[in-house]
Amino acid sequence: MGASLRDIKARINTTKKTSQITKAMEMVSASKLNRAEHNARSFTPYMEKIEEVVASVALGSNDASHPMLVKRPVKKTGYLVITSDRGLAGAYNSNVLRTVYQTIQERHRSTEEYAIIAIGRVGLNFFKRRNIPVALHITGLPDQPAFADIKEIANKTVNMFADGTFDELYMFYNHFVSPIQQDVTEKKLLPLTDLASDKKLTAYEFEPSQEEILEVLLPQYAESLIYGALLDAKASEHAARMTAMKNATDNAKELIRTLTLSYNRARQAAITQEITEIVAGANALQ
Amino acid sequence: MKTIKVSVVTPDGPVYEADVEMVSAKAQSGELGVLPGHIPMVAPLEIGAVRLKKGNATEFVAVSGGFLEVRPDRVTILAQAAERAEDIDVARAKAAKERAERRLQAKQEDIDHKRAELALRRALNRLNVANRNF
């Protein structure tokens, strides 16, 4: 014991204020999550269509070939890692970063063999602190990114594969499963080796030629995959932050409950003591 | 008159969806017109305007590249950015045009140069489509 009534009161007040903030952040994240899910939905038709066309064009005839479709000996690997700019999102960032870090330790011996493309400040700082080479980075993306926001970095990333800087590219991000579950996902971005469509392939005429169409189509497809991953990761971020803030609010409530209990107990003890003193005083006078 | 379904889709969502009589676009190999019943085809597009003829009216959509997919019953245009003529932000396009022009005059490395040139073409295309100026 020993905590005075005033101290306990002060702690109750600060905890209450904190819980108001976390509650507000929870609600903000909930509405951001809503919009993020909406963004992901408006992206789906584009992605489905482009997947269908890419599969039709690339698999339609056997003589079609493009550097982005072919595996080559790997000298250098690129890892595109999507994290958030800010913390307070539970294990959102640490899960991804731990997975990437372990993967790199397992697969590579020297820093010559890989480089990071960092989306998000938390990831950028993490890799810089560990002296892991960061080839490209972008921070300060809005909560609801438009394609134009990441066009440049997506374009550069794909070009780094095309010009031979990287021989393969992987993406690491949190895949949105549900508001309470996000899974760290590793996805191979380039080369595009597992193109498969369950839809019926269409035999197209090509204007001007299949090679030239792949030249336009494949980079656009790869850039869309990056954007798709970003939208997915953003939805996860808002969900993770919402859950983290909900837990914080619940914890604060629990803390307020126990503090109120000890406050009342201390108050009761003080009153009892006062009464005892008065009675003792009255008795002494008799 | 026979019609064909057209949709213009971007990563940020669908931009245009309607039944039209004819679609014309600027493909990399030249001007391209698609009527209902066309054989399946894929063609990459230039930065330019897509014209959609519907009755007596013609609508315009500005596209920044991408490609056109034709099927017997529908045409899909997949572009990284596209706007209908009436949705174009003229002030923004003008600002982008000036920025690109300044960058072109500064003349630095080739990559920057190429990027600025593309940005300029996109901005000019938007302005042209917004003003229906061809």
Side-chain angles (χ1 to χ4, degrees), chain A residues 203-215:
Chain A
Y204 290 111
E205 284 275 301
F206 299 108
E207 183 65 43
S209 72
Q210 195 166 9
E211 282 71 36
E212 277 171 78
I213 285 166
L214 286 176
E215 199 64 47

Side-chain angles (χ1 to χ4, degrees), chain A residues 273-286:
Chain A
Q273 195 179 358
E274 255 174 57
I275 292 176
T276 318
E277 278 163 13
I278 292 169
V279 170
N283 280 346
L285 287 178
Q286 275 173 5

Side-chain angles (χ1 to χ4, degrees), chain B:
Chain B
M1 192 85 188
K2 267 172 120 184
T3 60
I4 186 163
K5 243 190 206 13
V6 178
S7 40
V8 180
V9 194
T10 71
D12 298 320
V15 172
Y16 183 92
E17 206 131 353
D19 290 306
V20 303
E21 286 160 16
M22 184 167 102
V23 185
S24 356
K26 199 173 166 200
Q28 285 183 353
S29 49
E31 280 291 329
L32 194 78
V34 179
L35 292 166
H38 201 287
I39 49 164
M41 180 186 75
V42 181
L45 297 179
E46 288 278 330
I47 296 171
V50 175
R51 294 183 296 283
L52 304 133
K53 193 164 167 284
K54 207 158 70 176
N56 290 325
T58 305
E59 290 183 279
F60 296 92
V61 176
V63 295
S64 311
F67 60 94
L68 173 103
E69 187 222 15
V70 183
R71 298 194 167 208
D73 57 336
R74 67 181 301 133
V75 173
T76 314
I77 292 166
L78 289 168
Q80 295 193 330
E83 292 104 14
R84 303 163 71 127
E86 57 267 33
D87 296 338
I88 290 173
D89 186 340
V90 176
R92 208 182 127 196
K94 269 190 186 141
K97 175 180 165 247
E98 277 155 26
R99 201 167 50 236
E101 278 170 347
R102 267 204 308 281
R103 242 181 245 163
L104 279 178
Q105 264 153 23
K107 269 196 191 156
Q108 288 163 337
E109 288 162 33
D110 334 37
I111 295 178
D112 268 345
H113 196 76
K114 210 171 149 198
R115 200 180 284 283
E117 217 171 84
L118 283 174
L120 180 62
R121 274 171 55 199
R122 282 197 298 268
L124 284 174
N125 175 45
R126 284 198 174 99
L127 290 174
N128 283 342
V129 172
N131 302 326
R132 299 210 155 59
N133 164 17
F134 298 99

Side-chain angles (χ1 to χ4, degrees), chain A residues 76-170:
Chain A
K76 194 163 180 174
T77 310
Y79 294 95
L80 184 117
V81 183
I82 306 178
T83 57
S84 67
D85 277 346
R86 280 166 297 156
L88 291 182
Y92 175 82
N93 290 313
S94 48
N95 280 347
V96 171
L97 294 173
R98 188 174 353 102
T99 313
V100 176
Y101 194 67
Q102 281 169 359
T103 311
I104 287 176
Q105 301 294 356
E106 274 166 32
R107 290 189 196 164
H108 305 290
R109 292 239 160 63
S110 86
T111 51
E112 300 284 300
E113 293 173 11
Y114 62 89
I116 302 284
I117 294 148
I119 298 184
R121 187 166 292 121
V122 175
L124 178 64
N125 292 342
F126 175 92
F127 295 118
K128 269 191 179 162
R129 252 200 323 275
R130 282 167 183 73
N131 290 324
I132 292 173
V134 177
L136 293 171
H137 65 87
I138 186 169
T139 57
L141 283 176
D143 284 323
Q144 320 293 343
F147 184 74
D149 293 321
I150 62 137
K151 187 171 189 299
E152 197 179 326
I153 192 159
N155 193 275
K156 280 187 189 159
T157 305
V158 173
N159 275 341
M160 287 177 96
F161 177 83
D163 68 15
T165 312
F166 296 131
D167 302 298
E168 54 179 0
L169 269 167
Y170 292 90

